[in-house]
């Protein structure tokens, strides 16, 4: 976009044939937020959505026709977040008994996704000619955690593949790139790679579910085909 400077007819045609993905992946805007700051993040989420919606609007005004807008994953299920949270010895009520994830962080993710989907729907009304696709990141990851063996993952889905020590095989001090950190023999059977990112196997399933459904509205292939 920077190389094009101003959007002429050729640029608009190029944009109309392109697929844009707008938004943040894996909820990095929220991952480092301490539990004590969560109430503040509710209002912060609205600002993030406003920025994302503004970028989408700008692209659509420049001729974009197909935009994928990813939601937020359940950040309370990230081993890196769980490991730090455990250090403060929060009571068991802080965790979802069905998943072992931190419920208050997942509530923030759901709040973000609610606001994002609302913004997407408003953009669809204002730009009826465009295909604005909401890509659900939350439900597929939560299903991985709830039913890991259904997707070929180990029975303890919150344990990372590349890490060292602790309940989740994760250490804030010795992360995946540190010396003496081990890597699991078969990463494709793990949900989480290094405490923050998922494995290729998990991302492959999510990508397919966005391309063909059911976790994209509408599925990317159908939207881009039409």
């Amino acid at each position: 976009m920077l190389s094009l400077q101003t959007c002429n007819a050729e640029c608009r045609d190029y944009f109309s044939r392109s697929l844009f993905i707008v938004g943040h992946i894996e909820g990095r805007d929220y991952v480092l937020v301490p539990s004590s700051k969560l109430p503040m993040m509710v209002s912060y989420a609205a600002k993030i959505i406003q920025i994302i919606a503004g970028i989408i609007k700008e692209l659509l005004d420049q001729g974009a026709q197909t935009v994928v807008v990813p939601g937020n994953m359940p950040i309370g299920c990230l081993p890196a977040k769980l490991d730090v949270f455990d250090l403060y010895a929060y009571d068991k009520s802080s965790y979802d008994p069905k998943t072992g994830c931190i419920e208050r962080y997942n509530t923030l993710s759901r709040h973000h996704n609610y606001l994002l989907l609302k913004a997407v729907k408003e953009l669809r009304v204002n730009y009826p000619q465009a295909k604005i696709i909401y890509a659900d990141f939350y439900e597929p990851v939560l299903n991985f955690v709830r039913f890991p063996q259904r997707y070929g993952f180990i029975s303890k889905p919150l344990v990372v593949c590349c890490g060292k020590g602790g309940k989740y095989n994760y250490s804030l001090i010795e992360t995946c790139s540190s010396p003496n950190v081990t890597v699991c023999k078969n990463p494709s059977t793990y949900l989480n790679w290094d405490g923050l990112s998922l494995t290729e196997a998990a991302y492959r399933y999510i990508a397919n579910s966005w391309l063909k459904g059911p976790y994209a509205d509408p599925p990317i292939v159908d939207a881009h085909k039409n």
Side-chain angles (χ1 to χ4, degrees), residues 6-172:
T6 57
C7 201
N8 53 28
E10 183 180 358
C11 157
R12 295 182 70 85
D13 177 65
Y14 184 77
F15 274 25
S16 70
R17 292 181 285 107
S18 300
L19 176 68
F20 294 88
I21 300 179
V22 181
H24 62 141
I25 304 293
E26 298 178 345
R28 296 299 174 95
D29 286 319
Y30 303 109
V31 169
L32 299 179
V33 176
S35 180
S36 61
K37 299 293 184 181
L38 284 179
M40 179 189 72
M41 294 305 296
V42 173
S43 59
Y44 184 54
K47 294 179 181 179
I48 293 175
I49 301 305
Q50 187 178 18
I51 292 170
I52 293 172
I55 295 170
I56 296 170
K57 184 179 183 302
E58 185 176 350
L59 287 170
L60 295 172
D61 287 340
Q62 296 290 339
Q65 290 292 313
T66 310
V67 182
V68 179
V69 189
N72 205 344
M73 70 182 297
I75 56 176
C77 297
L78 288 173
K81 178 60 70 178
L82 285 159
D83 182 73
V84 174
F85 199 75
D86 280 1
L87 293 176
Y88 294 94
Y90 286 99
D91 59 74
K92 292 183 180 180
S93 64
S94 297
Y95 301 87
D96 182 339
K98 294 181 180 180
T99 62
C101 302
I102 309 165
E103 183 55 30
R104 66 186 73 174
Y105 280 101
N106 283 356
T107 298
L108 177 60
S109 292
R110 290 193 297 270
H111 175 67
H112 171 98
N113 293 341
Y114 168 78
L115 294 177
L116 183 63
L117 185 55
K118 183 180 178 181
V120 166
K121 289 178 178 178
E122 291 175 357
L123 286 164
R124 286 170 176 167
V125 172
N126 294 327
Y127 295 88
Q129 80 286 356
K131 298 291 192 302
I132 307 172
I133 302 162
Y134 176 74
D136 189 348
F137 213 142
Y138 189 94
E139 285 300 322
V141 174
L142 201 64
N143 281 334
F144 293 156
V145 178
R146 285 174 175 165
F147 314 107
Q149 292 170 308
R150 182 182 297 179
Y151 301 94
F153 299 129
I154 61 172
S155 59
K156 295 182 178 180
L158 302 178
V159 174
V160 308
C161 172
C162 182
K164 183 177 181 181
K167 180 179 178 181
Y168 306 102
N169 192 37
Y170 175 84
S171 170
L172 184 62

